[in-house]
Amino acid sequence: MTGSFSPEECFTDERFDADAVRWACAFARHLEVERGLSSNTVRAYCIDIRSYLDWAARSDLDPLQVEYRRFRRYLVELNAAGHTPKTTSRRLSAIRTFFKYLNVQGVTQLNPAAATSSPKSGRDLPRKTSDADIAQLLEVCPDDPVGIRDQAFLELLYASGARIAEIARLELGDVDFSDASVRLFGKGSKERIVPLYPLALEAVRRYIHEARPVLLGNRRGGALFVSTRGNAMSADSLRRVFKQRTAQAGLDSSLHPHDMRHAFATDLVEGGADLRSVQEMLGHASLSTTQIYTHLSLQHMKDVYKDAHPRS
């Protein structure tokens, strides 16, 4: 596994069944190596499966051979613990996927979570960052090598709607200045091309020519964004940059890089972009995931109506 996360450490508990731990670790490696999921996503799977292994240990059950009748006790425990429907659904999905893997490997024919319906929950609407806040954030960086780098990062984040992990994976060759686009590698290493507006291209061009060589020093490397020591910046490093610049701009401390992705998508939908195109640019596997932005657009229209109509 890349990074500091280790599935072996996640499943370190002498109460856990040894075979279950071995297969859980193998499943984690399968998710990262064969399915190309990010370290953060694999970590989330492991945490959810650990919860199941913990319950099985306390219930004195073999976690690889639990039938649906007994598995329902786990659901009762999740409900009693006060978990939200979203958390319960996520855990069921992780366990369901884990058992599908075990089925393929011939470890068991059971999948107790397969017959379990995930609880219904209302979909939370993503927060819409105001145009004024985005403009304020994009004006905050100083005119020095670090500031020029951060300006390019923020412009690219908003221009592409990319996930922070996708920005961290960018190489120099992924930005195509002649085609005014950036090549992103999303979940499952799926590639997509997203167009970029001129201001973002100019910010990235200036960073590459003026600031990156200064930050890189005597080092060599293909990563687009590098630290003051010339190392490739991780997603966590870029998150810290984002937090620093939002604080400097005097914005809400809860603002997150993913909010820029939401702003990107909402602005496109409100501007008249068709959902299929937005889906492609966001890298969503399902159109239903993209449709949430139509709700935000509808709310925007309601706000405009309320402010503009004389009898509203």
Side-chain angles (χ1 to χ4, degrees):
M1 300 285 294
T2 59
S4 59
F5 173 68
S6 165
E8 287 78 10
E9 292 178 4
C10 183
F11 299 120
T12 298
D13 192 317
E14 61 183 13
R15 299 171 303 134
F16 290 176
D17 179 86
D19 283 340
V21 168
R22 180 166 60 87
W23 282 110
C25 291
F27 174 63
R29 288 189 290 271
H30 161 77
L31 292 177
E32 185 181 50
V33 176
E34 296 183 32
R35 290 185 52 184
L37 300 185
S38 70
S39 181
N40 285 339
T41 302
V42 175
R43 181 188 290 110
Y45 269 99
C46 289
I47 290 172
D48 288 335
I49 293 169
R50 178 186 169 85
S51 165
Y52 169 69
L53 296 185
D54 179 67
W55 167 78
R58 287 186 282 103
S59 303
D60 197 26
L61 296 171
D62 180 350
L64 303 181
Q65 302 296 334
V66 173
E67 296 180 345
Y68 172 68
R69 180 175 56 83
R70 290 183 173 176
F71 183 75
R72 285 184 298 181
R73 300 177 193 170
Y74 175 64
L75 299 180
V76 171
E77 181 172 300
L78 290 179
N79 291 332
H83 291 298
T84 64
K86 185 176 181 179
T87 298
T88 300
S89 295
R90 192 194 69 234
R91 291 198 171 169
L92 286 176
S93 177
I95 295 167
R96 196 177 293 124
T97 305
F98 177 44
F99 270 90
K100 285 180 180 178
Y101 170 77
L102 296 176
N103 296 159
V104 171
Q105 299 300 318
V107 178
T108 180
Q109 294 182 336
L110 300 174
N111 190 339
T116 307
S117 299
S118 297
K120 301 292 185 182
S121 61
R123 174 174 281 184
D124 294 331
L125 290 178
R127 172 171 52 183
K128 172 65 169 75
T129 308
S130 72
D131 293 341
D133 282 352
I134 291 176
Q136 193 169 332
L137 179 61
L138 296 177
E139 294 294 328
V140 79
C141 298
D143 195 30
D144 57 34
V146 171
I148 294 171
R149 178 201 66 193
D150 294 353
Q151 179 73 28
F153 158 58
L154 294 171
E155 287 280 6
L156 191 56
L157 192 64
Y158 178 52
S160 65
R163 303 174 180 93
I164 194 73
E166 294 170 347
I167 296 288
R169 283 196 289 267
L170 285 176
E171 300 280 323
L172 281 171
D174 290 327
V175 179
D176 188 335
F177 291 98
S178 62
D179 193 44
S181 64
V182 61
R183 179 175 57 182
L184 299 170
F185 293 91
K187 294 181 178 180
S189 297
K190 292 181 179 178
E191 179 183 332
R192 68 186 190 277
I193 305 295
V194 180
L196 297 176
Y197 54 70
L199 279 175
L201 283 169
E202 183 54 38
V204 174
R205 180 184 284 108
R206 186 184 181 206
Y207 159 65
I208 290 175
H209 291 300
E210 296 182 23
R212 188 176 179 275
V214 177
L215 298 174
L216 203 58
N218 295 324
R219 289 178 175 268
R220 294 289 181 271
L224 178 59
F225 290 107
V226 296
S227 69
T228 53
R229 296 184 178 180
N231 298 317
M233 296 183 73
S234 66
D236 285 340
S237 298
L238 291 172
R239 286 190 190 95
R240 286 193 291 271
V241 168
F242 186 86
K243 285 295 183 184
Q244 175 192 349
R245 295 307 181 187
T246 52
Q248 188 178 342
L251 301 180
D252 187 340
S253 61
S254 68
L255 201 64
H256 189 273
H258 215 71
D259 291 318
M260 301 290 275
R261 177 171 165 86
H262 295 320
F264 166 84
T266 308
D267 288 343
L268 287 176
V269 172
E270 290 180 355
D274 66 277
L275 281 183
R276 286 292 182 187
S277 296
V278 178
Q279 177 191 2
E280 287 292 323
M281 286 185 274
L282 290 175
H284 285 161
S286 170
L287 186 63
S288 63
T289 308
T290 314
Q291 285 175 331
I292 192 170
Y293 295 104
T294 63
H295 297 297
L296 286 177
S297 183
L298 177 60
Q299 184 59 51
H300 171 74
M301 286 188 287
K302 287 180 178 179
D303 292 341
V304 170
Y305 178 89
K306 184 177 180 180
D307 291 340
H309 198 286
R311 296 182 69 85
S312 64

